[in-house]
Structure formats: structure tokens, C-alpha cells
Amino acid sequence: MIEERQDTLSFGQKDDLPNKVVETVYSSGTASSCIGRINSFIQAKGFVDDKTNNEKANKKQTFEDLLVDLANTASFFPGVPILVKYNEFGETVSIESVPVGHIRPISNGKFIINKDFGTNKRRKKDDIIVSEFDPNDRPTDRIKSITRQKEAYRKQVGELYYPIQKCLLPNGDKLPIPEFIGGLEDIESDAALSVLENRNIRRGWRPQVVIVTGEIDDETEDEDEKTDKDYFNETLKRFQGEDGAQIMHLETVEGEVEPKVHLLDGKSILNATDKATERVSLKVCRVMNVPPVIVGFSSAGKLGDLQELENQIELFLLTINKRQRMITRALEAVTKDSKFKNLKFDISSLNLFKFIPAELLSLLSKEEIAKLYEITLPTTEQSNSVE
């Protein structure tokens, strides 16, 4: 029988924070570009060692494939959940990535895995309870764990290794809470502005309309059970069309009034939206620790001075380095004393300066460019330094 479950640790008020984070990021053009850049820099060109890249991590993936999944997770969340499975001798033979949204810690120190966490599709009968992976366990301990799993699930379900970067928020010592969690509203604003801008562009060539009339009878109905106001509104709808001009109708109560139509130029609305979009997009880059220059902001006015650019790049590289080291250490821990023990999990690095637009570099002096290229990634491993 499956053991009695303990209290499950909720991830957010509605237990759907991982889903919300991912959906919010992908709804924003700026945030999704930032995540894409973080992801690219974490996985870079794979592991430094080609043998490691080509070695099978599980039945379906090489370690290079596995790194893609781990980097995708680490781009959003400061955690690297890894599911470990053994052979009949208790030796590690399979390593898989598990999405953060599929996992919830429980009070007895174990974990529940269910791909439908945070949705209304979740069924508790589909929950799988796994123990925490302990790198110091002996093969005999793991054989006992496999036996219990087969009794409960008729198959081995593995053990979970789940290192995270802890924070001081509630449950921040047990759940990988994104560092940009405080900027979700900015990301939502960026997404909303994109929708607004799209609507304004589609309608922008059509002026906004204000129609002023006297009172229109909305009480006396004709043989078709319609009032003068009904006919007036139908006429406006036909004039407006699905994506036509936005119309405001003002009725006065000052007796007979000659109907008037006022046109409002939409150009000022488009300009105001552009400015707001730029301002919010830069805020999104800031909360996600991504230099605006590598997601498309290339003018000097948007980037600020050289020192600001240096600071942005250094913070970005610190974030990348932390995630890469977390992945490397996690893989080293789960492959200890296994057939993978001789593999090297140092991750390669990308040259960030190749992503800086040429038009920006042309604005800098040779001394400033040299200063930028001298920025080094704070790391103890040479393989993780900027080329």
C-alpha cells in the first residue's frame, strides 16, 4: 500500500505559482526574451567535455539533452530537481530532469510528483511519493527503497535530488522561489501594453469619435419593439465595424441640439503607448537581471553610461554562473560512486560581448571597449569565465 501522506507544502496561495510564473513570463515579449537569453547562456555550448555530452543520461537522453532541460528549469527557478533511478545492485543508472511545477515537498521530508499540480486536473490517485536522494546512501539502502517502491507502485519511481537557492520569503528554504518574483506585476504590465499597442495600431489609422446629440427617446417602442435609441445604436455599430473607430456618445438635456461629430487624433495615444512600453520593458530587464542591450535595446540613451552597462553585465554573469554551478554540483552529487563517476560536468560559456550590437560598440572608445572586455565572470572555474 502507498504510505499515508503528510501535509503538502503549497507553492503559492493557490498552489499554482510555478504555472503562473511561466505563463506570465511567456505572455510578455520582453520577459520571454530575457528568459531565452538566460537559458542560452546557462546551457551555452553544452558541457566542456565531449564524452560527457554524448554519454546516455537515461533511456531517451544524452547528458547534453539533459542539460537543455536543466537549463530551462534553472532559467525560471533557482533549483535543479533531478530524479535518480538505480539498477538491481543499487547503482545509479538513470538521471532525469523534473519540472519544478510537478513537485511539492511534504512534511515528512519526501516529495509528491504529479504533472497536474496547480491545475484542476490533478487527481491524488496519480500522485507519486518519492524519497529524497541521499548521496551518502549505500547500495543496500537503495535496494530497500526500490523494493518499497515496487510494492507501492509495481515499478521503481526513483528518488529526488532537489537543491535550491534558499531565500527569506515564507517557505523559501524549501521551494525555489524566482528572484524576479517581486517584478511579476511589471511583467504583466509589459504583456498588457503589448495587447494595448496591438489594438491601437490596428485601430490607430481610424480617428476616435465623439458624437454629441440631444436626448434620444429610449422608451417609446414601435411595432418592432424598438426605440429611437435602439435604431441609433444599431447605426453606430454598422458604422464602427468590428475593428472600427471607438465611439463615445454624449447626450445633452438642453432641448434641441444640432448633432455634432468630433474627431480625436489617435497619434498621441500611440506615442504615449510607445513611451510606456519602453519604460516598462526596461523595468522587466532590470528585475530579471538581464542587460537590456542583449534583448534589443541598443541606443546609448536607453543603456546609460559605460559604468551602468558594466554593472548590468556583471550581475547577469553572476546569475548565469550561479545556475551553472548549481547544475554542475547537482550532477556531481547524483553520479557519485556510479558508472558516471568519471564524467566531467563543467559547463561551457558564451561570449556575452558577441551579443552587443555593433552600432553600440561604434559609440564607444577603444579604451571603453577594452574595459568592457576585461570584465571577468566571478568563478573559481576557468571554463565558466567570459571568453
Side-chain angles (χ1 to χ4, degrees), residues 76-352:
F76 284 91
F77 305 96
V80 187
I82 296 177
L83 190 67
V84 184
K85 295 181 181 179
Y86 314 105
N87 61 17
E88 64 271 25
F89 304 110
E91 300 168 334
T92 299
V93 292
S94 177
I95 301 170
E96 304 170 25
S97 172
V98 183
V100 165
H102 295 184
I103 306 166
R104 297 294 184 274
I106 48 182
S107 57
N108 61 2
K110 298 185 179 183
F111 303 90
I112 296 178
I113 298 178
N114 189 317
K115 65 181 180 64
D116 293 321
F117 266 123
T119 73
N120 56 12
K121 296 180 180 179
R122 184 203 167 193
R123 300 292 180 267
K124 289 188 176 181
K125 66 182 180 62
D126 297 326
D127 289 353
I128 295 176
I129 297 177
V130 298
S131 299
E132 182 177 15
F133 171 85
D134 185 344
N136 297 315
D137 274 352
R138 298 170 299 177
T140 52
D141 298 324
R142 292 168 181 168
I143 291 172
K144 291 177 182 178
S145 176
I146 295 171
T147 301
R148 290 192 297 268
Q149 291 174 15
K150 288 182 176 179
E151 289 174 354
Y153 301 101
R154 298 183 179 180
K155 64 178 181 179
Q156 180 187 174
V157 294
E159 293 183 328
L160 190 70
Y161 188 56
Y162 199 0
I164 68 170
Q165 178 184 311
K166 299 179 180 181
C167 72
L168 298 178
L169 290 172
N171 298 325
D173 60 333
K174 297 180 177 68
L175 297 170
I177 299 175
E179 293 174 320
F180 57 83
I181 193 69
L184 279 187
E185 290 186 354
D186 290 324
I187 297 174
E188 290 172 346
S189 296
D190 185 70
L193 280 168
S194 294
V195 174
L196 177 62
E197 186 175 46
N198 177 263
R199 188 195 69 181
N200 287 340
I201 288 173
R202 285 190 291 112
R203 297 182 175 183
W205 65 273
R206 305 183 185 193
Q208 314 303 300
V209 179
V210 178
I211 298 177
V212 181
T213 69
E215 285 189 280
I216 300 177
D217 183 7
D218 62 353
E219 294 181 356
T220 306
E221 296 181 344
D222 62 12
E223 57 188 16
D224 294 322
E225 298 184 347
K226 292 184 177 181
T227 66
D228 289 346
K229 187 67 171 289
D230 292 330
Y231 287 112
F232 179 83
N233 290 335
E234 288 177 2
T235 302
L236 288 186
K237 286 181 180 179
R238 287 196 300 271
F239 169 75
Q240 184 178 20
E242 182 179 354
D243 291 322
Q246 299 181 63
I247 298 175
M248 176 182 292
H249 176 216
L250 301 178
E251 290 184 75
T252 70
V253 291
E254 298 177 357
E256 293 292 330
V257 174
E258 181 180 354
K260 294 182 180 179
V261 177
H262 302 274
L263 302 181
L264 304 178
D265 184 9
K267 184 178 179 180
S268 59
I269 298 175
L270 289 172
N271 290 340
T273 303
D274 285 344
K275 291 180 180 179
T277 299
E278 178 183 313
R279 183 178 67 253
V280 173
S281 294
L282 290 174
K283 288 177 68 178
V284 170
C285 291
R286 184 171 65 250
V287 300
M288 300 188 78
N289 282 337
V290 174
V293 64
I294 67 172
V295 290
F297 294 96
S298 58
S299 74
K302 293 175 183 174
L303 287 169
D305 59 21
L306 178 65
Q307 185 60 52
E308 181 183 359
L309 179 57
E310 276 191 53
N311 294 340
Q312 292 170 348
I313 290 175
E314 190 165 2
L315 282 172
F316 177 72
L317 295 178
L318 277 168
T319 300
I320 298 303
N321 182 246
K322 283 192 295 184
R323 297 292 189 272
Q324 285 188 331
R325 283 186 288 125
M326 180 177 284
I327 292 172
T328 296
R329 291 170 179 172
L331 290 173
E332 288 173 347
V334 299
T335 57
K336 176 184 174 183
D337 299 327
S338 74
K339 68 175 185 176
F340 305 121
K341 63 182 179 182
N342 292 324
L343 296 180
K344 298 177 181 179
F345 296 106
D346 299 323
I347 304 172
S348 61
S349 60
L350 293 181
N351 187 338
L352 184 144

Side-chain angles (χ1 to χ4, degrees), residues 20-64:
K20 180 180 179 181
V21 166
V22 173
E23 290 170 2
T24 301
V25 166
Y26 281 131
S27 71
S28 159
T30 306
S32 57
S33 294
C34 289
I35 283 292
R37 284 288 185 252
I38 294 171
N39 191 339
S40 296
F41 275 85
I42 291 176
Q43 60 181 280
K45 300 175 183 177
F47 295 103
V48 175
D49 183 49
D50 286 336
K51 180 182 177 182
T52 302
N53 284 320
N54 298 322
E55 183 76 21
K56 276 285 198 180
N58 53 63
K59 290 181 179 179
K60 297 181 179 180
Q61 293 179 304
T62 63
F63 274 98
E64 186 174 27

